[in-house]
Amino acid sequence: MNVLKLDKLSKTYATGDTALNQVSFEVPAGQVLGLIGPSGAGKSTLIRCINRLVEPTAGSITLGGTDLAQLQGAALRRARRRIGMIFQEYALVERLTVMENVLSGRLGYVSLWRSFLRRYSPDDVSKAFSLLEQVGLSQHYNKRADALSGGQRQRVGIARALEQDPELLLVDEPTASLDPKTSRQIMRLIGDACRERHLPAIINIHDVMLAQQFTDRIIGLRAGEVVFDGPPSGLTDEVLTRIYGDEDWTRMRGEEAGADEPRTPAVDLAEGI
Amino acid sequence: MDQPSVHPVTWKRPPVLFTHTGWRRAIYAGALIYLVLAMQSIEVDWQRVYLGLDRGWKFVEGFLTPDFTTRWRDISEGLIESLTMTVTSTVAGILVSVPIGIGAARNLAPAPVYLFCRGIITLSRSFQEVIIAILLVAMFGFGPFAGFLTLAFASIGFLSKLLAEDIEACDRSQIEAIRATGASWWQVVNYAVQPQVMPRLVGLSLYRLDINFRESAVIGIVGAGGIGATLNTAIDRYEYDSAGAILIIIIAIVLVVEYSSSYIRRWVQ
Amino acid sequence: MTTNAPTPVWHYRTRKQTLLGWLGWFSLVALTVFCWQLMNENTIWAFVSDAPEQAADIGGRMFPPAWSYIDQLWEPLWDTINIATLGTLIGVAVAVPVAFLAANNTTPSRRFVRPLALLLIVTSRSINSLIWALLLVAVIGPGLLAGVIAIGLRSIGFIAKLLYEAIEEIDFNQVEAVRATGASGAQVIDYAIVPQILPAFWGISVFRWDINIRESTILGLVGAGGLGIQLSASLATLAWNQVAMIFVVILGTVIVSEWVSARVRQAVI
Ligand SMILES: Nc1ncnc2c1ncn2[C@@H]1O[C@H](COP(=O)(O)OP(=O)(O)O)[C@@H](O)[C@H]1O
Ligand SMILES: [Mg+2]
């Protein structure tokens, strides 16, 4: 059963940049999808079109039977609360406490008055505590978000997204601002959370190694078009060249092999292209 | 997670400002009591207010249908006084505040000079322009000259203080580099300090020009010349259409000064 | 800036720039001289040269200040503080929605609502609280109410301008993240925008309160309550020792309010 279906999704920005060109694919329940591609390929645009932070120009986005591209106002907000999102720069509200940040995942469900008074239902609160425990932050719930380290902030970001009880998780370069070790921990946390909940996810990531290790399927994007769609094991040098252009992939992979800590992020180079 | 742990079902945001509960309550109660007392100190003569609504409406009408012509002679005279006062007092203020500002910068001035200059700044900043104008009008007689002195004096406090803070925030390494070449004090100021603070000084001067114009419209009320005197007379005579015209002119000039100064500032930087 | 001549000669600026610079300075000097002459057409220089004697005379009458006069100043002082505080509250209450309407990233309509909000802000800012008081006293009669409203009207523009600039500088990622949870517009403001501008909000409000204390000391000159009423009475009877006492009280109040506002700003930032 497919949870999400993109059909000929296109986006042309007001500046004339065509960021997405007729992208179509489907995501079945429980699948963790890695979206890779060079900088400017349209990865962020694709993810943001799904929850309509960016308005798609054409095409349809079907989530559990509704076409998200057509929604407006309250209906759009009801659709957004079904989709959790994790951001590259964490995008926590810095001056709010960790708990408020996590509880803000329920904003689509509670009334303005209750959210203003921070009076959430017992279920919401106990779920927030349990999520914080799950991401390893049970002690920090009353700290302000800007008092946390990068890795800790991203954990709060994950908890906020899961607090929504989402049907779909959108993740935009979750590890781009983190060190290699923390990156793996965060990816593992996201992967485990998805498997536990049978939650489909689209993870936008520029690190091919991490993508291969933690996802079930890879889609390669280049200049707004899908140029690869297959299992992680299908990422041959030929495919990588198709996605990123010419590079000596074998050598870079050799350097990377098995190395957990000292890492030359192969595709970080591709970011500069 | 081997054993399912039980999580709290309520959470209250910890207070940010006054963390001690007793103190917090006391402060809130105190604020409430103060508000009630303060409101009570306003004795409103509702009948007078009711009568005034009519006049208020007339004023709104006057503002919407301003009369520039009837009193144009008075208006233009007041306007010229205000504008000339603004220009001369700003220039004089800058000329005086540059040395005072340098003298009030801790990294450039010796202690006695520093204290003297800081004293002048404090004196100038402590009193409202209008109060200074009252004193200066008493000394120098009515008219724009007293107004000029008032605005220049007020500008000195404003500009010197900000200039001194700017100089103190200057990059030390650049000053030391110039000093290390064997430069004299003057050369240090000229080569190391001036380039760093010049753009800011231009910006601040333009900002002060704006303030001086607005203040020039006020000190006329106590006899220091300018458009304020004209406005005062117009309101005294209940000529709300002329008053409306004056206010519109003031707003328009403030707008023009603001736009052109943001333009000049961009050009300087 | 070197020339491409066979023997490179170093010039500080190109010739055209130098010329333009001199032209700029020259026109500035010419403008100032012109304004100076226009301004002083009617100045009676005899009064001006007389000023030192006048100053000595007034100074002599001011000392010693009439210390016992303070008994009559407590109530006006209380009124002055109330005018400033209540006026600031009114200003804040109106300025907050206006700031949201004026900020580029929160306004409901950039084409229609934003220019209106900006016009409101510039109108309020252009007109000094003393002028507002002058108008209001004419409309609703003398008293504290006129003073409170005058301070409020002037504060709207100040607070709204600084606040909308703060709103325009917020981190938009945080707003998008909250919006992505399905939050409504009001919830986005509450959870993503308000936390980011809260320190600026407190700083601006307290800063304006501090300014308002100074301004409300003089509103009484036009009949809008507070210490200024006593001041104008003492001036009218040339009781300079009472005037001096009022100045002492004003100075004390201003110093205390500045200290309070500095402490509060420290606490919130
Ligand atoms: N807000 C925007 N306005 C105009 N063009 C944009 C905007 N955001 C992205 N783009 C353009 O769209 C293309 C895809 O960008 P993006 O989706 O951010 O790529 P990626 O996330 O893969 O690096 C780029 O060419 C970029 O310049
Ligand atoms: Mg991106």
Side-chain angles (χ1 to χ4, degrees), chain B residues 14-268:
Chain B
V16 186
L17 229 41
F18 312 110
T19 38
H20 186 279
T21 316
W23 272 113
R24 192 166 66 245
R25 295 219 174 109
I27 287 169
Y28 288 160
L32 197 70
I33 292 169
Y34 168 76
L35 264 186
V36 171
L37 288 179
M39 301 266 223
Q40 276 172 354
S41 75
I42 305 178
E43 285 156 16
V44 185
D45 181 353
W46 288 111
Q47 217 168 351
R48 179 69 182 74
V49 172
Y50 179 74
L51 288 178
L53 287 183
D54 198 31
R55 255 193 235 167
W57 179 242
K58 271 201 201 113
F59 170 71
V60 173
E61 272 181 346
F63 195 77
L64 293 176
T65 56
D67 176 6
F68 292 91
T69 45
T70 319
R71 297 270 166 211
W72 179 245
R73 264 186 62 90
D74 293 344
I75 295 177
S76 64
E77 246 167 51
L79 208 55
I80 287 172
E81 277 184 7
S82 265
L83 287 172
T84 53
M85 216 162 31
T86 306
V87 172
T88 51
S89 66
T90 308
V91 171
I94 297 168
L95 289 181
V96 181
S97 49
V98 167
I100 293 186
I102 293 174
R106 208 173 312 209
N107 51 351
L108 284 183
V113 178
Y114 172 78
L115 289 177
F116 176 74
C117 293
R118 282 283 162 178
I120 294 180
I121 292 176
T122 310
L123 189 70
S124 154
R125 287 175 60 80
S126 298
F127 283 101
Q128 254 282 320
E129 278 89 341
V130 173
I131 289 179
I132 299 169
I134 290 173
L135 285 176
L136 291 174
V137 167
M139 292 179 203
F140 292 87
F142 290 100
F145 189 75
F148 156 77
L149 288 176
T150 304
L151 296 181
F153 184 67
S155 305
I156 291 168
F158 177 88
L159 289 173
S160 315
K161 175 159 189 278
L162 294 172
L163 185 63
E165 275 164 12
D166 255 18
I167 295 174
E168 282 172 357
C170 261
D171 186 3
R172 283 185 60 86
S173 60
Q174 288 188 39
I175 297 178
E176 271 157 16
I178 299 286
R179 214 170 253 160
T181 64
S184 71
W185 186 86
W186 286 108
Q187 284 167 325
V188 170
V189 171
N190 185 214
Y191 279 80
V193 177
Q194 193 196 338
Q196 289 190 60
V197 298
M198 200 58 190
R200 269 275 287 178
L201 182 62
V202 172
L204 289 176
S205 304
L206 289 167
Y207 184 38
R208 187 65 216 185
L209 189 78
D210 181 9
I211 297 176
N212 277 348
F213 175 73
R214 279 187 267 164
E215 290 295 329
S216 80
V218 176
I219 53 181
I221 295 174
V222 294
I227 191 85
T230 324
L231 183 63
N232 199 0
T233 323
I235 292 174
D236 273 351
R237 292 182 186 146
Y238 301 112
E239 291 172 352
Y240 290 140
D241 40 5
S242 296
I246 296 172
L247 292 180
I248 288 174
I249 291 174
I250 294 175
I251 295 169
I253 291 180
V254 169
L255 264 179
V256 169
V257 171
E258 217 159 82
Y259 266 99
S260 42
S261 73
S262 73
Y263 181 78
I264 294 175
R265 235 172 292 171
R266 234 173 296 146
W267 186 69
V268 167

Side-chain angles (χ1 to χ4, degrees), chain A residues 13-15 17-19 37-46 172-173 204 271:
Chain A
Y13 281 102
T15 50
D17 293 288
T18 299
S39 197
K43 306 184 294 292
S44 298
T45 305
L46 189 140
D172 194 359
E173 308 217 359
N204 178 343
E271 276 284 302

